Amino acid sequence: MGKRSATGGFDPSGIDAEAWEVLEGQLEATIPNYDRVNTWMTFGQDKRWRRNVRNHAKPGMKVLEVGCGPGSFAEDLAGLDVTCLDPSPEMLAAAQPRVDAARAARGEPPAVYVEAIAEAIPLPDDTFDMVFCLFSFRDFKDKAQGLTEIFRVLKPGGRLVICDAGKANKLHGFFGYLWMNSVVQLMARIITREKNHPWKGLAASYTHYGTNGYYRAMLRDVGFENVQGRLLYPFGMASRFRGTKPTQSVQQKGSLD
Ligand SMILES: C[S@@+](CC[C@H](N)C(=O)[O-])C[C@H]1O[C@@H](n2cnc3c(N)ncnc32)[C@H](O)[C@@H]1O
């Protein structure tokens, strides 16, 4: 029996295949109400967090968003060469018209869309100046493998910025658990007008998500340097992680020593 069986297939390092399929179905079911519920459950902070992450990019950069969902973040990536990756055809079908309409209104060419998981990115090494993950890292099946693939497709010196639910430590996680399982459930029920709304199942991905320290260590293990990971204030509901792909690989460094 797998070590995740006691938690329904989830642990901080990832999600079993069967539990991930169920989670994907729940994520797809959020599409019609995704932005509204997010805004309510974060008191509108989600827009600030997205702006905070977006501001890391410089004009003209080649960027990848991993887990683009319905395009809530990618639509505002102005002045950039954008690739959107998501394993869900439904998410990509929602994202494409929205993101490309916003790009056309700014006189920009359409984005590139890739149907894939983070753990197996079908793109060449050393391609992107920056990779973003907004509220998708929590859903990776194998988080270390997803980070390894992101590291591979980043150019040397390129940066990863992740923003996801905040969990500074286990105590903070307990308050987050209470929030996800009470207020968020009530808001989702009011907005969707459905008793069995998809946010019921999504709370599990937060419950078994790891702490900031756990993922900072994972980023370093994968090879990222200048790793940071902390809560975003004022409410501490989200965490932001940053890491840079070294300009010299470890092997190269070794041969120069
Ligand atoms: C909550 S949505 C995030 C949407 C968007 N990034 C945003 O800013 O709100 C999470 C997305 O992650 C995607 N996802 C789930 N597992 C993934 C994986 N293993 N690799 C890449 N994306 C994944 C889901 O399909 C979903 O579209």
Side-chain angles (χ1 to χ4, degrees):
M1 198 174 274
K3 68 183 168 117
R4 294 181 185 136
S5 57
T7 62
F10 292 79
D11 80 9
S13 72
I15 304 173
D16 288 346
E18 213 176 300
W20 185 82
E21 291 293 340
V22 174
L23 176 67
E24 271 299 281
Q26 289 163 340
L27 286 166
E28 286 166 350
T30 67
I31 293 174
N33 297 299
Y34 181 76
D35 290 323
R36 256 187 325 149
V37 173
N38 274 345
T39 301
W40 275 49
M41 70 189 241
T42 64
F43 300 130
Q45 293 300 300
D46 59 327
K47 295 190 175 58
R48 267 192 63 223
W49 299 333
R50 289 178 204 288
R51 198 168 51 242
N52 175 308
V53 172
R54 205 166 54 236
N55 286 345
H56 286 78
K58 299 207 170 54
M61 275 187 166
K62 190 169 173 61
V63 305
L64 168 69
E65 190 195 357
V66 172
C68 66
S72 319
F73 175 71
E75 69 173 341
D76 293 322
L77 289 172
L80 302 167
D81 176 342
V82 176
T83 300
C84 296
L85 177 146
D86 203 283
S88 158
E90 276 104 307
M91 287 291 186
L92 290 172
Q96 185 158 10
R98 175 178 177 177
V99 174
D100 286 347
R103 293 182 65 79
R106 296 190 295 260
E108 294 167 356
V112 173
Y113 298 87
V114 179
E115 189 184 316
I117 53 171
E119 294 85 341
I121 301 179
L123 297 170
D125 299 358
D126 304 338
T127 301
F128 296 98
D129 298 296
M130 190 150 260
V131 175
F132 298 116
C133 287
L134 279 281
F135 309 102
S136 59
F137 180 59
R138 202 169 78 224
D139 305 322
F140 286 10
K141 292 189 219 195
D142 180 333
K143 294 182 171 60
Q145 175 60 23
L147 292 177
T148 303
E149 276 290 89
I150 289 170
F151 186 89
R152 180 182 66 73
V153 300
L154 271 171
K155 292 178 186 169
R159 288 178 92 191
L160 165 65
V161 186
I162 297 174
C163 182
D164 216 303
K167 199 180 265 192
N169 50 46
K170 289 198 174 152
L171 180 65
H172 183 244
F174 176 66
F175 288 110
Y177 167 86
L178 293 180
W179 180 260
M180 290 294 282
N181 285 282
S182 55
V183 181
V184 171
Q185 300 304 314
L186 182 66
M187 286 176 175
R189 179 147 185 201
I190 293 169
I191 293 172
T192 62
R193 297 184 191 175
E194 277 176 45
K195 203 171 164 196
N196 283 318
H197 56 76
W199 278 267
K200 270 197 164 166
L202 294 181
S205 67
Y206 179 79
T207 304
H208 304 292
Y209 188 58
T211 60
N212 288 350
Y214 182 88
Y215 295 122
R216 282 196 302 263
M218 187 180 275
L219 282 158
R220 287 191 194 100
D221 282 351
V222 165
F224 285 96
E225 58 183 25
N226 304 322
V227 170
Q228 298 172 320
R230 65 163 178 88
L231 292 180
L232 292 179
Y233 294 105
F235 298 116
M237 290 178 186
S239 287
R240 187 198 59 205
F241 296 89
R242 295 188 289 205
T244 306
K245 177 168 171 173
T247 44
Q248 287 179 323
S249 73
V250 174
Q251 261 178 336
Q252 280 171 323
K253 263 188 197 161
S255 64
L256 292 174
D257 287 341

